[in-house]
Amino acid sequence: MTDTQFIPDSDKFGKQVDAVNNGEFTWESPSNIALVKYWGKKKDQIPENPSISFTLSNCKTITTLRFSKKNDMAFSFDVFLDGKKQDDFKPKIETFFKRIEPYLPFLRNFHFTIDTRNTFPHSSGIASSASGMSALALCLMGVEKKLNPDIVTGYFNKKASFLARLGSGSACRSIEGDLVVWGKHELIDESSDLYGVKYPYKVHDNFKNFQDTILLVDKGQKQVSSTVGHNLMHNHPFAEQRFKQAHSNLERLMPVLESGDLMAFVELVESEALTLHAMMMTSNPYFILMKPNTLEIINKIWAFRKETSLPIGFTLDAGANVHILYPGKDSEKILEFIKNELVVYCENAHYICDEIGFGAKQL
Ligand code: DP6
């Protein structure tokens, strides 16, 4: 499948743009946490390997996009975060607009005001690119649908994911929940490098109300931006092996998701997280993104799991914060453990309780 399916019909475009002068759309879109990680990309935001994530519920971005017709043909937009003008976001959005212009030819016909806020604190070390770029892509799809009301939901979501990917790879996994695959995998029907798809097979009830408690070990700016990080996989001595491993880990995860084998799940997901960090430690230049408290937390989780046999596990993004994953039915005991033994390792005792969610919503 190529990306030409997302280029609108140029014959109808003039009339459609003439018919619309202004409007506004608001979408909220969640963050997501990868179980099998995307790390390494080719040109045009094509992932080197397939990934799969849980969509989150509470950590989200809410974006309102206002648009009004203008006459000149330059890109024109203002960005506000929490009501304050945020000119430092403009270069990233301008790059995004340039990348998606072939698919949204109306971008130069309107002035846009992008008003955005996150439900999680800006300085929490939680990346807002997945929720932020997916919310913006959905609002822009709102404009496209206003120009062309014939667009159906399936196409709307697929194209929103496609556009979000061009803003930030992981953002394409935030449109629809609850488990999303992005990247072609030979055993997953409809999977694509171009957009995320809902995981199409049976998932055991054990995963239905999974919890993600995010321990904020380091709330500072990311030490390595994701773009720099992904680039480190070019000429990485272990890259090819890692990309193969992601395929086989996704294949191994499929029967685990079906059977509900929580211990097998934990083992696979923890191994993925540590592999991601191992890739950073063995790149040139090399980085250690975990902090001493990250390791303290991991060791405590392992000891608690051994002692209680509860299916608690962790995953990590490209940073020091720890995502603790566990089934909803064990929440009481595990939250007790987190409060008593782990919160002490968080910056200012800060942690966020989230859980598996079902994707973006128009407000
Ligand atoms: C470690 O999606 O932030 O979270 O495409 O450059 O915007 P860009 O990268 P980004 O990378 C996320 C990497 C990760 C793993 C994952 O979410 O799969």
Side-chain angles (χ1 to χ4, degrees):
M1 195 176 284
T2 62
D3 51 8
T4 51
Q5 63 174 312
F6 298 120
I7 299 179
D9 186 342
S10 58
D11 293 344
K12 296 187 186 150
F13 179 68
K15 264 200 190 132
Q16 289 171 344
V17 168
D18 285 347
V20 174
N21 285 321
N22 52 52
E24 111 172 34
F25 293 102
T26 300
W27 279 84
E28 62 165 51
S29 189
S31 186
N32 66 71
I33 181 69
L35 307 171
V36 172
K37 307 288 181 182
Y38 148 55
W39 198 242
K41 62 180 164 185
K42 302 179 205 166
K43 199 170 159 274
D44 298 330
Q45 300 280 104
I46 296 299
E48 289 277 11
N49 63 258
S51 58
I52 185 168
S53 56
F54 272 151
T55 308
L56 295 181
S57 179
N58 301 331
C59 289
K60 57 194 175 197
T61 298
I62 297 138
T63 298
T64 297
L65 181 76
R66 295 186 187 84
F67 55 100
S68 51
K69 187 68 84 35
K70 64 177 186 59
N71 290 321
D72 69 279
M73 289 313 267
F75 287 132
S76 170
F77 60 88
D78 290 310
V79 196
F80 296 83
L81 175 66
D82 297 326
K84 281 193 217 99
K85 205 148 184 270
Q86 205 76 39
D87 284 341
D88 50 332
F89 283 11
K90 287 186 98 171
K92 197 165 180 194
I93 307 248
E94 173 119 11
T95 306
F96 180 50
F97 274 22
K98 281 187 189 145
R99 277 194 200 149
I100 63 177
E101 195 190 1
Y103 312 101
L104 298 179
F106 59 77
L107 286 177
R108 290 177 193 268
N109 296 92
F110 297 97
H111 172 77
F112 295 98
T113 305
I114 303 162
D115 222 319
T116 193
R117 71 183 170 87
N118 299 322
T119 57
F120 47 90
H122 187 54
S123 58
S124 59
I126 298 186
S128 57
S129 65
S131 53
M133 282 298 176
S134 52
L136 180 56
L138 284 156
C139 289
L140 289 167
M141 279 309 293
V143 184
E144 170 154 6
K145 190 168 163 66
K146 187 155 178 167
L147 298 179
N148 177 11
D150 294 340
I151 286 176
V152 295
T153 308
Y155 179 84
F156 185 100
N157 286 339
K158 201 184 262 189
K159 183 162 173 181
S161 175
F162 171 84
L163 297 173
R165 183 199 99 234
L166 292 170
S168 175
S170 56
C172 78
R173 299 187 310 233
S174 278
I175 307 293
E176 293 181 273
D178 39 358
L179 267 167
V180 181
V181 178
W182 167 43
K184 184 71 199 152
H185 190 284
E186 61 169 356
L187 296 179
I188 302 183
D189 286 345
E190 310 282 323
S191 58
S192 168
D193 285 346
L194 300 179
Y195 44 76
V197 295
K198 275 180 82 158
Y199 179 71
Y201 305 116
K202 207 171 156 259
V203 177
H204 194 278
D205 279 353
N206 279 351
F207 298 105
K208 287 282 179 276
N209 60 345
F210 235 62
Q211 304 293 302
D212 178 2
T213 303
I214 310 164
L215 302 186
L216 304 178
V217 171
D218 182 10
K219 302 203 246 172
Q221 272 282 324
K222 278 200 199 172
Q223 192 186 328
V224 184
S225 78
S226 52
T227 306
V228 171
H230 288 290
N231 282 338
L232 292 173
M233 290 302 277
H234 296 139
N235 304 318
H236 190 294
F238 308 133
E240 282 316 309
Q241 203 49 42
R242 160 60 198 155
F243 302 146
K244 274 195 204 135
Q245 181 200 41
H247 281 265
S248 65
N249 277 348
L250 190 43
E251 182 173 348
R252 282 175 56 209
L253 189 61
M254 293 167 70
V256 171
L257 290 174
E258 181 165 355
S259 68
D261 182 342
L262 292 169
M263 287 305 180
F265 175 82
V266 159
E267 250 175 56
L268 204 145
V269 167
E270 289 187 348
S271 162
E272 270 290 316
L274 294 178
T275 301
L276 170 72
H277 282 253
M279 289 298 114
M280 292 182 231
M281 288 186 213
T282 49
S283 60
N284 180 14
Y286 45 76
F287 295 95
I288 299 182
L289 299 187
M290 288 187 267
K291 296 280 183 211
N293 282 349
T294 312
L295 292 176
E296 294 285 356
I297 292 168
I298 290 174
N299 280 315
K300 288 265 177 176
I301 291 173
W302 285 344
F304 179 76
R305 187 161 79 220
K306 197 160 175 207
E307 194 183 297
T308 61
S309 297
L310 288 171
I312 173 177
F314 70 86
T315 187
L316 307 165
D317 267 344
N321 297 336
V322 183
H323 289 248
I324 305 189
L325 302 176
Y326 52 97
K329 69 175 172 45
D330 296 317
S331 280
E332 206 175 312
K333 282 186 202 139
I334 290 178
L335 269 174
E336 189 69 14
F337 158 66
I338 290 173
K339 282 184 206 149
N340 291 342
E341 296 198 40
L342 302 185
V343 167
V344 46
Y345 300 112
C346 299
E347 205 176 320
N348 305 326
H350 195 172
Y351 65 100
I352 295 175
C353 290
D354 210 334
E355 61 186 345
I356 198 161
F358 300 94
K361 273 202 284 257
Q362 186 172 6
L363 301 180

